[in-house]
Amino acid sequence: EAEVAQSPRYKITEKSQAVAFWCDPISGHATLYWYRQILGQGPELLVQFQDESVVDDSQLPKDRFSAERLKGVDSTLKIQPAELGDSAMYLCASSLVRGQNTEAFFGQGTRLTVV
Amino acid sequence: GESVGLHLPTLSVQEGDNSIINCAYSNSASDYFIWYKQESGKGPQFIIDIRSNMDKRQGQRVTVLLNKTVKHLSLQIAATQPGDSAVYFCAENINYGQNFVFGPGTRLSVLP
């Protein structure tokens, strides 16, 4: 069964350091999402891509967060510098086609701890 | 494993009973809804979806009901099993392909 792949599963980093997460969506899925989930809450969207283009990054803290999907396939989310409040689960999801109501499939996430 | 949702509302049910999890959504323009199940340390897993032109949809042991008048969504799980223990989120999708907005979640605890 096709899955959204994320790495690493866990990451511990010191504050002020840079950290990066990688996501490989399900093959053929044009839409890719990055969500952040704070413990005890639902996921919140950080950025949404349609192919290689950003379609929504209104909730992305652009002073420290960046995301790219250069070839419209896999994606990287970066934080520099990391802050203590960035500790959370970072989830990647993909869906088949934007413009139609289709489910988003999630990866297992990257649990980030900033110390 | 790590716990998801330490301070979430909790629903406790006996194994074999039916469970009903409720969700109030925020936007009357939302046209597509999904229920997700999230186990500790894992990403959300799709359970069932429903479009706004429907008021009921059934899957295997699960039923979703949609009441657009009061912006309410519910998930019914029949014959609840220990493996159903998890946090359940409803998600709403607005304007075809815009992002999914998640509700706060409910923890389902199945008692033996």
Side-chain angles (χ1 to χ4, degrees), chain A residues 75-102:
Chain A
S75 176
T76 302
L77 178 69
K78 298 179 181 177
I79 308 175
Q80 182 174 20
E83 296 180 353
L84 295 178
D86 296 331
S87 295
M89 175 80 87
Y90 290 82
L91 293 162
C92 180
S94 69
S95 62
L96 187 59
V97 179
R98 184 170 183 256
Q100 297 180 17
N101 288 344
T102 58

Side-chain angles (χ1 to χ4, degrees), chain A residues 1-92:
Chain A
E1 183 176 297
E3 293 182 343
V4 175
Q6 288 189 249
S7 67
R9 286 293 310 276
Y10 303 94
K11 180 69 177 180
I12 300 175
T13 191
E14 294 182 346
K15 63 180 180 179
S16 81
Q17 296 298 304
V19 63
F21 315 128
W22 177 80
C23 172
D24 190 11
I26 293 173
S27 179
H29 279 196
T31 304
L32 184 146
Y33 310 83
W34 282 102
Y35 282 85
R36 177 169 60 185
Q37 185 176 27
I38 295 170
L39 201 61
Q41 300 180 17
E44 295 181 325
L45 182 75
L46 290 173
V47 61
Q48 178 183 358
F49 289 91
Q50 177 68 15
D51 299 312
E52 68 277 6
S53 300
V54 173
V55 297
D56 186 353
D57 63 356
S58 57
Q59 301 303 310
L60 187 72
K62 299 180 187 65
D63 57 334
R64 298 185 300 108
F65 286 65
S66 64
E68 60 183 17
R69 192 185 184 198
L70 293 176
K71 297 183 179 179
V73 181
D74 59 337
S75 176
T76 302
L77 178 69
K78 298 179 181 177
I79 308 175
Q80 182 174 20
E83 296 180 353
L84 295 178
D86 296 331
S87 295
M89 175 80 87
Y90 290 82
L91 293 162
C92 180

Side-chain angles (χ1 to χ4, degrees), chain B residues 63-106:
Chain B
T63 300
V64 56
L65 299 177
L66 174 62
N67 184 330
K68 295 182 286 293
T69 302
V70 294
K71 294 190 289 185
H72 183 269
L73 201 65
S74 68
L75 176 70
Q76 300 177 2
I77 304 174
T80 311
Q81 301 170 0
D84 295 327
S85 292
V87 177
Y88 289 81
F89 293 98
C90 65
E92 59 184 301
N93 186 291
I94 308 168
N95 294 334
Y96 287 103
Q98 295 300 318
N99 80 87
F100 291 89
V101 177
F102 283 76
T106 297

Side-chain angles (χ1 to χ4, degrees), chain B residues 2-58:
Chain B
E2 152 189 295
S3 178
V4 173
L6 293 177
H7 304 292
L8 291 172
T10 298
L11 174 66
S12 297
V13 299
Q14 290 293 139
E15 181 178 354
D17 287 353
N18 297 333
S19 303
I20 300 176
I21 301 171
N22 296 303
C23 175
Y25 63 92
S26 59
N27 194 318
S28 57
S30 294
D31 49 26
Y32 178 55
F33 305 87
I34 298 179
W35 278 101
Y36 283 95
K37 172 186 180 183
Q38 188 173 28
E39 297 174 280
S40 291
K42 297 184 178 181
Q45 177 186 4
F46 173 89
I47 301 173
I48 191 168
D49 60 359
I50 189 167
R51 288 168 171 73
S52 59
N53 60 351
M54 305 170 68
D55 53 21
K56 180 179 180 179
R57 188 157 189 237
Q58 288 184 292

